[in-house]
Amino acid sequence: MGIFQRFARLPLKSTYIWSLCPQYSTDLTTVDSALIVRSSQLIQHRCVHSRVMGASPGNTGAAPPRLPFSRVTQEDLAFFRALLPGRTITDPDLLKSSNVDWLKTVEGNSEVLLRPKTTEEVSQILRHCNERNLAVCPQGGNTGLVGGSVPVFDEIILSTSLMSQVITFDNISGILTCQAGCVLENLSNYLEERGFIMPLDLGAKGSCHIGGNVSTNAGGLRLLRYGSLRGTVLGLEVVLADGRILNCLATLRKDNTGYDLKQLFIGSEGTLGVITAVSILCPHKPKAVNVAFLGCSSFQQLLETFQRCRGMLGEILSAFEFLDASCMSLLEKHLKLTNPITESPFYIVIETAGSNATHDEEKLHKFLEEVMTSSLVTDGTVATEATKIKALWSLRERVTEALTHEGYTYKYDISLPVEKIYDLVQDMRGHLGDMAKNVVGYGHVGDGNLHLNITSPSKDPALLAAIEPYVYEWTSEWKGSISAEHGLGFNSRPVRPCTYFSPLRCFWRGNGSPTGFSGENYP
């Protein structure tokens, strides 16, 4: 039931297909599997792999066989070193961090890391790898949470970390065009100096890359206000598996001249090509920002607070996030953060963003007065200064960091009807009993996205067997999604077998990501 198991090949002539992106930069005469992967090219594997760190093959099952790709030779290294002088890395010590994911739960065995600076360099790398039948693993910030940003075996790692230039910015339309390796926080700082903001905000903004964000259609904290990247990304530049460059780097907000090809690559997790540049619509920086941190005694009261919030704050509501008491305990225990209000079973982070401070504060005050009077909220605090706002947001953004200190974490990123979000956490606690150290829930109430995390002192096959397929069956029963924003990655193997793509013999994994960011990081 994998979403990548079948792609229908479009029965259209190539000249028409490529004319849909009038800025395409190569003269193409055929449309083949480099763009649309034929089902006959998909090789399915049972995605159980002994590369999980700290595990033995006996605990994880049989590893999928390495596909018949070539090994890197001295001639290949000579080509890469001539193309990327000083940017072809073979030192095992320098490669170590690129072979291991952010959670330090999975690792690969790549012996070569390539660091191109331009789209043309990426094109030449992929053309060479395609001709030599060499496997490639694109990577950027390597902050993913589902094991999709590191090699499975000995793939060449293609890093976009040096592709970090802003190409253009239009301060009238607010359209930013930049290379895929730009760090999200750097883009945010660049835009704020010019009176704009990124429509995307993540806890991992200090290290994740915009190309990876796009490749997994990352959601983030501002989706409630600005929507998903499918709506704000206006254009992409992508290098296909055989090295051809697809230039759809448009800056038009409206264009109905044909198929919207960029949508194929948004959320495709590296299966169709490497995103090298992005154009994105950025909103004006709000003049007034307020953050409220509130406590609720039940999840039902939290949901009722959300309903009141949407009705009373309306156009200035920017975010509505939640975390449970277990999350707060971990923040206090491991990160020494301070709970600014009295202890509660549930906590809410509400952000408003508008153009009139007096107007916004008045609306927020009326909302808070109503929810406190009606006992929906038991306690709360409000911040308007930047430092205090950052402190309140850290209580939500740093939950994933706190969880890393609890031992081994089983992470699930799930979309559900809003009223069912926390039922899964409670049912999972009852289902697991004493098997788990902690079962915690937090996430985005505004878009029905739960981050379910289950911890144990170390990796425990018996615990995993109790969690899966229970969590997936529960989600399916309520017509939810098993990947809301993290991507599928290596860790979704019980639901969907890993799909190995070999369009034109170049290697693209169904669990990869063009810039190594598998969905939202530190969600």
Side-chain angles (χ1 to χ4, degrees):
M1 71 186 191
I3 63 172
F4 298 120
Q5 287 183 354
R6 187 175 298 275
F7 267 82
R9 192 174 183 183
L10 297 179
L12 297 172
K13 293 195 179 201
S14 62
T15 52
Y16 176 70
I17 287 282
W18 290 94
S19 69
L20 302 180
C21 279
Q23 297 175 340
Y24 64 93
S25 57
T26 52
D27 184 16
L28 303 175
T29 57
T30 59
V31 173
D32 53 24
S33 54
L35 176 61
I36 304 298
V37 181
R38 293 173 294 181
S39 59
S40 62
Q41 292 176 302
L42 305 187
I43 303 173
Q44 300 296 324
H45 292 272
R46 184 168 182 262
C47 194
V48 182
H49 199 285
S50 60
R51 75 193 182 102
V52 177
M53 298 178 67
S56 66
N59 288 338
T60 59
R66 181 188 187 277
L67 296 184
F69 293 100
S70 301
R71 303 281 182 179
V72 176
T73 66
Q74 288 301 315
E75 289 75 14
D76 295 320
L77 291 177
F79 172 83
F80 295 138
R81 285 166 178 156
L83 177 65
L84 308 174
R87 293 178 281 131
T88 299
I89 312 301
T90 57
D91 185 331
D93 291 335
L94 298 177
L95 279 163
K96 189 176 298 184
S97 62
S98 296
N99 268 308
V100 181
D101 75 323
W102 185 84
L103 290 174
K104 295 180 173 55
T105 57
V106 292
E107 67 177 330
N109 299 290
S110 176
E111 298 177 350
V112 183
L113 169 66
L114 304 178
R115 306 181 71 198
K117 290 182 177 180
T118 67
T119 299
E120 182 56 36
E121 288 178 345
V122 175
S123 174
Q124 292 189 49
I125 290 168
L126 295 188
R127 185 179 300 114
H128 177 85
C129 291
N130 178 65
E131 292 171 353
R132 283 276 298 115
N133 195 30
L134 293 167
V136 173
C137 173
Q139 185 182 92
N142 195 17
T143 55
L145 301 179
V146 294
S149 59
V150 293
V152 174
F153 297 106
D154 57 344
E155 303 93 292
I156 294 169
I157 300 174
L158 194 161
S159 170
T160 59
S161 59
L162 298 183
M163 302 181 70
S164 56
Q165 300 299 310
V166 171
I167 300 171
T168 62
F169 177 67
D170 187 332
N171 59 10
I172 297 176
S173 65
I175 296 173
L176 172 76
T177 303
C178 64
Q179 289 184 299
C182 289
V183 173
L184 182 59
E185 187 170 40
N186 293 344
L187 292 178
S188 296
N189 293 337
Y190 174 91
L191 289 168
E192 286 190 18
E193 293 173 358
R194 291 157 178 80
F196 290 80
I197 60 171
M198 288 294 289
L200 176 71
D201 188 22
L202 309 174
K205 57 193 170 189
S207 51
C208 67
H209 294 184
I210 187 62
N213 299 151
V214 172
S215 75
T216 51
N217 190 29
L221 305 172
R222 291 175 176 162
L223 189 140
L224 179 64
R225 176 69 172 269
Y226 300 115
S228 76
L229 290 173
R230 291 195 179 278
T232 54
V233 170
L234 303 179
L236 294 175
E237 179 184 68
V238 183
V239 180
L240 303 181
D242 64 346
R244 289 180 293 178
I245 300 171
L246 174 63
N247 190 333
C248 289
L249 205 57
T251 56
L252 300 174
R253 295 188 64 180
K254 300 176 75 173
D255 182 2
N256 281 339
T257 56
Y259 296 110
D260 192 1
L261 292 184
K262 72 176 182 292
Q263 295 295 342
L264 284 172
F265 300 94
I266 299 174
S268 67
E269 298 189 58
T271 59
L272 298 178
V274 178
I275 295 174
T276 54
V278 177
S279 59
I280 186 167
L281 180 65
C282 304
H284 277 279
K285 179 181 178 181
K287 295 180 179 179
V289 175
N290 300 286
V291 172
F293 190 81
L294 312 176
C296 291
S297 56
S298 72
F299 196 75
Q300 183 57 42
Q301 290 178 327
L302 185 151
L303 292 178
E304 291 181 27
T305 302
F306 176 54
Q307 288 182 300
R308 301 276 183 97
C309 184
R310 285 194 300 178
M312 298 185 69
L313 299 182
E315 78 286 354
I316 65 171
L317 179 61
S318 179
F320 192 104
E321 303 286 307
F322 91 97
L323 59 148
D324 62 18
S326 296
C327 292
M328 180 61 74
S329 296
L330 295 177
L331 291 166
E332 293 175 316
K333 175 183 177 181
H334 297 301
L335 304 184
K336 308 306 178 184
L337 299 183
T338 301
N339 184 350
I341 62 176
T342 56
E343 290 186 9
S344 302
F346 297 94
Y347 300 92
I348 305 171
V349 181
I350 297 173
E351 181 182 84
T352 65
S355 58
N356 187 311
T358 302
H359 168 268
D360 294 358
E361 288 176 11
E362 182 180 345
K363 294 192 73 166
L364 182 60
H365 176 75
K366 288 182 178 179
F367 161 72
L368 293 174
E369 185 177 39
E370 177 164 323
V371 294
M372 293 287 286
T373 301
S374 59
S375 298
L376 292 177
V377 169
T378 56
D379 193 13
T381 184
V382 177
T384 57
E385 299 176 3
T387 55
K388 293 181 179 179
I389 287 175
K390 184 177 181 179
L392 291 183
W393 265 120
S394 67
L395 295 170
R396 165 62 183 84
E397 293 180 330
R398 298 185 67 186
V399 174
T400 296
E401 181 185 350
L403 282 161
T404 63
H405 297 278
E406 276 291 282
Y408 194 92
T409 305
Y410 298 90
K411 310 186 74 65
Y412 299 91
D413 165 53
I414 294 165
S415 281
L416 289 164
V418 176
E419 67 274 10
K420 300 300 297 183
I421 287 180
Y422 206 73
D423 287 356
L424 175 55
V425 181
Q426 294 174 321
D427 287 356
M428 183 61 76
R429 285 174 179 158
H431 174 69
L432 296 179
D434 296 333
M435 292 184 69
K437 185 177 180 181
N438 269 301
V439 178
V440 307
Y442 61 100
H444 319 287
V445 176
D447 45 67
N449 183 186
L450 168 71
H451 297 306
L452 172 68
N453 287 253
I454 301 161
T455 67
S456 61
S458 60
K459 184 174 174 62
D460 184 348
L463 176 58
L464 178 60
I467 298 171
E468 302 176 9
Y470 178 85
V471 63
Y472 299 123
E473 292 171 348
W474 199 103
T475 302
S476 177
E477 180 183 352
W478 293 103
K479 297 180 173 58
S481 167
I482 56 92
S483 178
E485 60 185 2
H486 285 183
L488 291 172
F490 178 81
N491 292 337
S492 296
R493 60 191 182 278
V495 182
R496 178 188 62 81
C498 270
T499 302
Y500 289 82
F501 294 75
S502 55
L504 294 184
R505 298 181 300 161
C506 195
F507 181 63
W508 299 104
R509 295 185 289 119
N511 62 347
S513 166
T515 55
F517 176 73
S518 230
E520 179 186 296
N521 299 282
Y522 314 178

